[in-house]
Amino acid sequence: MAEDREGNYDSSSHSNENNHEQLHIEPIYEAFLCPLTKQIMRDPVTLESGQTFEREAIEKWFKECRGSGRKPICPLTLKELNCTDLNPSIALRNTIEEWTQRNEAAQLDKACRSLTLGSAESDVLQALNFVTYICQKSRSSKHVVRDADLIPMISGMMKSSSRRVRCKALETLRIVAEEDNDNKEAMAAGDTIRTIVKFLSHEHSQEREEAVSLLYELSKSECVCEKIGGVNGAILILVGMSSSKSENILTVERAEKTLENLEKCEKNVRQMAENGRLQPLLTLLLEGSPETQLSMAAYLGELVLSNDVKVFVTQTAGSALVDIMRSGSKEARESALRALNQISSYETSAKILIQAGILPPLMNDLFTVGANQLPMRLKEVSATVLANIVSSSAGIESIPLGHDHQTLVSEDIVHNLLHLISNTGPAVESKLLQVLVGLTSSSTTVLNIVAAIKSSGATISLIQFVEAPQRDLRMASIKLLHRISPYMGQELADALCGTACQLSSLIKVIAENNGISEEQAAAIGLLADLPEGDSRLIRRLLDEGAFDIIISKVVRIRQGETRGSRFVTPFLEGLVRVLSRLTYILEDESDIVSLARDHNLAALFTDLLQMSGLDRVQMVSAMALENLSKQSKHQTRIPVVPEQGFCCSIFPCLSKQPVVTGLCRVHHGICSMKESFCLLEGKAVEKLVACLDHTNGKVVEAALAALCTLLDDGVDIEQGVMALCDADGIKPILEVLRENQTEILRQRAVWAVERILRTDDIAYEISGDQNVGTALVEAFRHGDYRTKQIAERALKHVDKLPNFSGIFPKMGG
């Protein structure tokens, strides 16, 4: 018989009783059969008519007679009965039982011979039908099946090549196991469970259904639960089936119920958690015995969880874990801390933990000293959780840590953190530095941290970690120093210049060639944020060979040899900013001028102007070109004109002034981009002009300042204007003046336009442009004193103001 999903038996399916002719070796006597059911009688009773029937069948007959208003009659004789007493036919029942036992014994023996992989499919199915029949008929027969060692034989049929045999074997095992723990345990022997689990992945749905139904039945035995969970992949497959959208709904329900039964075993609960089914573990964590709670919390700390799962765990068990931190034993607190370490690294989880009150007990664990203090390995976990909380949660600086209303950015708290950083091991120091890194991520809290560092005198000790051999500790230190460098740049520069090791360690980090790391980006960012004009620092960087390394890195990035890292942009920005420092101290520094020439820095910065999308790189490059171009008038080589001979001095008619060709029209010397940093070479002017159309005003300011060096005192201004004309730069400069984006841009544009208007032809052409006139008038009206003066001169060039210089004589002394 086949069992439906509710455990009932369907008479329309294969019925052993309907096919009893095939299940008996001795012939069936007519007297054994009930005239009403045509089945072998189990409880024969005799009526007053002398006819014998199955008790249940004749009772039903009488009930139907009464229900229809008729008097009871004998079903065979159809005669009315005066009495409906049922007299047990004990002799017949004993005869039937003896006959049944003989047949079942013979059939059992035949089944034992048939249940082999070499037997015919029909013989195997008949044997399995017989086992199913006797087990359904009598629970005692299940013991007979076990004692006859039929369970291993039936299990072997699961390996048959016939799908019908495999399905029937699975069904038979389920029926044999029902309500019989001994049989369940017998099936758990050998590799039977493993074979059943394999069917969960079969293509044929009937095999999967039969297999999960069998596992559900077996899982009712606590002893077998551990065996099922011990099969590699069993729980994972069941978890998948229980959430499947494509499986039969009844199969999904059986998989779910099987998993619920398997939860009796803690090992299975752990496996379920590994495979994303965490509710059983969390239930034990919340409701289990103290030992179980500790075990589950410890295991939770070992799991790798997705962010969604972290939130679910935090919502379910976060408060309980925080409570354990407050009042649990050291062992329990360790387990809770490790679990909190897993779930605290996601922003949403961190916020839930803050609401649950995690900060006060966490800080207490870190700061407590004496007999009640945590061992250092647990302080490391506490520091890790705190670092997770700080890095994931905005607004944490406003959360009070206790009754004194101190917060994480209060001076005393930061002092305590700094003290711990200086007096614990590398692991704890690294995590606490990460806490400070997190607290400096906000423009408001960074000021508190900087103030506390200054008041505690911790600058030197923080810088010392830059040379730590532990990468995490070194990186956390560099990141923190980078965060605070805009607020205490001179202190950091002085400290780095005071010792060789830390600066050398920073340069070694920058020089690494294993891609571009976050640590490298932070290291170069730290150096870039230090004061630009600190010649002592620049000299130290020169001595350490830093600029050779930086130039090499910039060139490799520009040539595409280093790419693909998410830190490439901040790294390149830092490199260019540090490199540009060389251009701020070129005056009277011949060795730096030589280095700039050797590496052709003017060409490099010109090339960097084209890095579209990297505004800061373009801005810094333009500023560096401004500094370099200012030196061009000093670095250009003035040709030596040979002196005239004696005859020429006596006879002037014989003298002829030598003509020197190839001179720079702006600097009147021999110029090149490499040697004298002249912008007229290498299309630098054109590339700077292109930057005047940039959307970032800072880039426009820097580009305009660089172009203004061609109009500066000490150069041929008129030729500088012509150079701008040749590069189509006049209109963009006028456009900058008209747009009037910032005060600095207006000042620079007014200065440049006044110099350009000194050329009469250009002044005449521009005088008709009302927009330019209006912009100059606005500058004249609203600019500062110097800008007003320059605007006034410009307005005179275009005849917008009268020029009185020829009317009034100069006033003497």
Side-chain angles (χ1 to χ4, degrees):
M1 292 185 182
E3 184 185 19
D4 67 20
R5 297 304 106 198
E6 300 298 325
N8 301 316
Y9 291 88
D10 184 356
S11 61
S12 65
S13 64
H14 239 355
S15 171
N16 291 326
E17 293 201 20
N18 287 339
N19 295 282
H20 53 76
E21 297 87 352
Q22 301 175 24
L23 298 176
H24 302 109
I25 294 175
E26 289 187 31
I28 301 175
Y29 298 97
E30 189 71 25
F32 291 177
L33 301 177
C34 172
L36 289 173
T37 65
K38 308 302 181 185
Q39 304 290 330
I40 297 171
M41 291 182 286
R42 297 178 184 178
D43 186 11
V45 291
T46 304
L47 305 181
E48 67 176 16
S49 63
Q51 301 299 321
T52 303
F53 301 90
E54 177 67 48
R55 179 187 294 275
E56 185 179 345
I58 193 62
E59 286 177 344
K60 182 180 178 183
W61 172 267
F62 287 158
K63 185 177 180 181
E64 289 175 354
C65 288
R66 295 189 189 98
S68 61
R70 296 183 288 117
K71 291 185 177 181
I73 61 173
C74 174
L76 289 180
T77 64
L78 301 179
K79 291 182 179 178
E80 188 177 313
L81 298 174
N82 296 319
C83 175
T84 56
D85 291 344
L86 304 176
N87 300 311
S89 182
I90 297 174
L92 179 59
R93 184 175 64 189
N94 291 339
T95 301
I96 292 173
E97 286 178 354
E98 291 172 3
W99 177 88
T100 299
Q101 289 172 4
R102 288 195 306 275
N103 272 281
E104 288 183 354
Q107 192 66 31
L108 198 62
D109 181 61
K110 181 180 178 183
C112 289
R113 294 194 303 273
S114 299
L115 291 175
T116 65
L117 292 176
S119 299
E121 179 187 90
S122 58
D123 291 340
V124 175
L125 290 173
Q126 186 174 350
L128 293 173
N129 281 332
F130 171 74
V131 174
T132 302
Y133 164 69
I134 62 173
C135 288
Q136 288 175 331
K137 188 184 73 168
S138 169
R139 287 187 62 182
S140 61
S141 297
K142 296 185 178 184
H143 301 289
V144 175
V145 169
R146 183 176 67 252
D147 294 341
D149 284 334
L150 275 172
I151 290 176
M153 296 180 187
I154 301 170
S155 300
M157 293 302 100
M158 291 189 295
K159 299 177 181 178
S160 169
S161 59
S162 167
R163 190 163 67 208
R164 291 180 63 197
V165 169
R166 294 195 301 268
C167 288
K168 189 63 184 179
L170 289 165
E171 177 192 355
T172 304
L173 287 172
R174 172 173 50 77
I175 292 169
V176 170
E178 283 175 348
E179 299 181 1
D180 195 311
N181 284 333
D182 291 336
N183 281 358
K184 288 181 173 70
E185 292 177 24
M187 289 180 197
D191 67 344
T192 301
I193 301 294
R194 187 180 304 277
T195 305
I196 298 169
V197 169
K198 288 181 180 178
F199 280 100
L200 297 178
S201 302
H202 272 218
E203 293 181 8
H204 195 252
S205 60
Q206 187 181 353
E207 288 176 303
R208 292 200 305 275
E209 291 171 18
E210 292 291 355
V212 75
S213 295
L214 174 54
L215 281 179
Y216 168 56
E217 186 60 42
L218 294 174
S219 68
K220 294 176 182 178
S221 167
E222 196 165 338
C223 297
V224 182
C225 282
E226 187 170 347
K227 184 80 174 181
I228 296 173
V231 176
N232 186 36
I235 287 179
L236 174 58
I237 296 171
L238 286 168
V239 168
M241 293 180 78
S242 68
S243 58
S244 173
K245 303 297 183 184
S246 58
E247 287 284 357
N248 181 301
I249 184 64
L250 295 174
T251 300
V252 171
E253 289 177 2
R254 283 291 165 89
E256 177 65 30
K257 290 180 180 178
T258 303
L259 288 168
E260 291 173 3
N261 289 339
L262 295 180
E263 291 171 13
K264 301 167 192 170
C265 174
E266 279 191 23
K267 289 183 179 178
N268 293 342
V269 170
R270 293 183 179 191
Q271 278 200 65
M272 291 178 198
E274 283 180 11
N275 294 301
R277 186 182 174 94
L278 275 112
Q279 188 58 60
L281 183 146
L282 298 178
T283 300
L284 289 178
L285 176 62
L286 296 172
E287 302 174 5
S289 65
E291 294 78 12
T292 299
Q293 288 180 328
L294 189 147
S295 172
M296 293 298 105
Y299 190 68
L300 183 59
E302 298 173 11
L303 295 175
V304 177
L305 308 174
S306 67
N307 288 337
D308 289 345
V309 175
K310 286 176 186 176
V311 174
F312 171 68
V313 172
T314 309
Q315 290 171 334
T316 307
S319 294
L321 292 170
V322 171
D323 288 341
I324 293 174
M325 280 186 62
R326 287 196 187 98
S327 56
S329 64
K330 282 187 179 180
E331 188 178 8
R333 284 157 68 193
E334 178 175 4
S335 298
L337 276 170
R338 296 195 184 282
L340 288 165
N341 183 31
Q342 282 295 332
I343 63 178
S344 61
S345 58
Y346 184 52
E347 181 178 353
T348 306
S349 301
K351 289 179 179 177
I352 297 171
L353 290 173
I354 290 172
Q355 292 171 358
I358 191 175
L359 285 178
L362 200 56
M363 302 306 293
N364 185 61
D365 283 348
L366 282 170
F367 294 157
T368 298
V369 295
N372 294 324
Q373 72 175 345
L374 287 180
M376 197 56 66
R377 60 186 174 81
L378 291 190
K379 285 201 173 187
E380 178 187 347
V381 183
S382 296
T384 305
V385 174
L386 181 59
N388 289 342
I389 295 287
V390 169
S391 65
S392 302
S393 302
I396 195 171
E397 69 277 359
S398 62
I399 307 296
L401 301 180
H403 300 299
D404 54 3
H405 301 295
Q406 286 192 317
T407 69
L408 276 174
V409 295
S410 296
E411 188 173 46
D412 288 345
I413 299 297
V414 179
H415 283 175
N416 286 336
L417 290 172
L418 291 169
H419 177 75
L420 278 176
I421 289 171
S422 300
N423 294 279
T424 52
V428 178
E429 291 166 348
S430 170
K431 297 303 178 184
L432 293 178
L433 283 170
Q434 289 177 31
V435 170
L436 293 182
V437 170
L439 292 174
T440 54
S441 61
S442 162
S443 58
T444 54
T445 57
V446 67
L447 299 176
N448 299 78
I449 305 303
V450 167
I453 291 173
K454 288 181 176 180
S455 63
S456 65
T459 304
I460 299 296
S461 61
L462 290 176
I463 286 179
Q464 288 174 349
F465 289 117
V466 168
E467 53 183 322
Q470 298 84 4
R471 186 179 185 86
D472 287 348
L473 177 57
R474 186 179 67 237
M475 183 166 74
S477 169
I478 293 172
K479 287 174 68 176
L480 176 61
L481 294 172
H482 181 208
R483 290 279 177 86
I484 64 176
S485 57
Y487 307 92
M488 47 190 303
Q490 194 59 60
E491 294 96 320
L492 295 178
D494 293 342
L496 285 170
C497 289
T499 58
C501 297
Q502 285 84 34
L503 189 59
S504 177
S505 296
L506 277 176
I507 294 168
K508 285 179 182 176
V509 169
I510 294 166
E512 290 177 359
N513 286 318
N514 301 320
I516 299 174
S517 66
E518 183 182 13
E519 183 181 19
Q520 287 180 294
I524 196 66
L526 164 59
L527 292 179
D529 282 336
L530 301 181
E532 291 175 345
D534 192 322
S535 58
R536 184 185 176 203
L537 176 62
I538 295 174
R539 281 289 169 193
R540 287 295 310 277
L541 289 171
L542 274 170
D543 294 342
E544 294 287 344
F547 291 106
D548 291 330
I549 293 169
I550 288 170
I551 292 168
S552 172
K553 292 283 184 184
V554 172
V555 170
R556 289 184 63 187
I557 292 173
R558 190 70 183 108
Q559 292 176 348
E561 296 176 24
T562 306
R563 63 175 67 186
S565 168
R566 63 193 176 102
F567 301 110
V568 66
T569 296
F571 186 60
L572 178 60
E573 286 180 354
L575 291 172
V576 175
R577 289 172 65 199
V578 174
L579 183 59
S580 71
R581 287 165 185 240
L582 288 173
T583 68
Y584 287 86
I585 59 168
L586 290 169
E587 196 79 40
D588 301 323
E589 299 287 352
S590 59
D591 56 337
I592 295 179
V593 170
S594 296
L595 186 143
R597 287 172 173 167
D598 292 343
H599 291 286
N600 200 359
L601 289 190
L604 180 58
F605 285 119
T606 299
D607 183 56
L608 291 170
L609 288 174
Q610 301 176 94
M611 298 207 71
S612 178
L614 299 181
D615 294 7
R616 200 165 194 180
V617 170
Q618 291 176 299
M619 178 189 73
V620 173
S621 298
M623 293 167 70
L625 286 172
E626 176 193 4
N627 296 333
L628 288 166
S629 182
K630 285 179 178 179
Q631 296 299 313
S632 294
K633 57 190 176 185
H634 305 299
Q635 302 304 324
T636 188
R637 187 161 56 88
I638 305 297
V640 178
V641 180
E643 293 184 4
Q644 294 180 347
F646 176 74
C647 294
C648 292
S649 63
I650 297 175
F651 303 104
C653 61
L654 298 176
S655 66
K656 185 177 182 181
Q657 192 71 24
V659 178
V660 181
T661 61
L663 298 183
C664 174
R665 56 176 172 168
V666 173
H667 302 113
H668 298 304
I670 299 173
C671 278
S672 70
M673 177 166 278
K674 182 176 181 180
E675 297 297 326
S676 64
F677 323 128
C678 181
L679 295 183
L680 270 60
E681 305 293 328
K683 295 190 178 296
V685 177
E686 289 84 349
K687 292 171 183 175
L688 286 166
V689 167
C691 289
L692 295 179
D693 192 37
H694 204 287
T695 56
N696 187 328
K698 296 290 185 182
V699 177
V700 178
E701 286 177 15
L704 182 56
L707 290 170
C708 285
T709 60
L710 298 176
L711 309 175
D712 214 344
D713 294 336
V715 304
D716 191 324
I717 296 175
E718 185 174 354
Q719 289 301 317
V721 173
M722 290 300 102
L724 290 174
C725 280
D726 294 343
D728 295 326
I730 303 297
K731 285 185 178 180
I733 293 174
L734 295 175
E735 189 63 31
V736 171
L737 175 65
R738 285 194 291 264
E739 288 179 355
N740 191 23
Q741 291 183 13
T742 66
E743 184 59 31
I744 294 175
L745 270 178
R746 177 162 67 180
Q747 291 171 3
R748 289 193 183 279
V750 168
W751 185 91
V753 168
E754 190 276 327
R755 300 260 164 156
I756 291 169
L757 292 176
R758 292 180 187 182
T759 302
D760 292 339
D761 291 344
I762 296 177
Y764 177 76
E765 184 178 345
I766 292 176
S767 62
D769 189 332
Q770 292 184 352
N771 290 327
V772 174
T774 300
L776 288 171
V777 169
E778 286 296 308
F780 177 69
R781 292 178 59 204
H782 303 294
D784 60 17
Y785 177 74
R786 183 170 180 273
T787 303
K788 284 184 177 182
Q789 284 188 317
I790 298 171
E792 180 181 356
R793 291 200 298 269
L795 287 167
K796 289 176 181 178
H797 294 321
V798 292
D799 296 329
K800 297 293 184 183
L801 281 176
N803 189 344
F804 297 110
S805 59
I807 299 175
F808 297 105
K810 291 184 179 179
M811 302 299 292

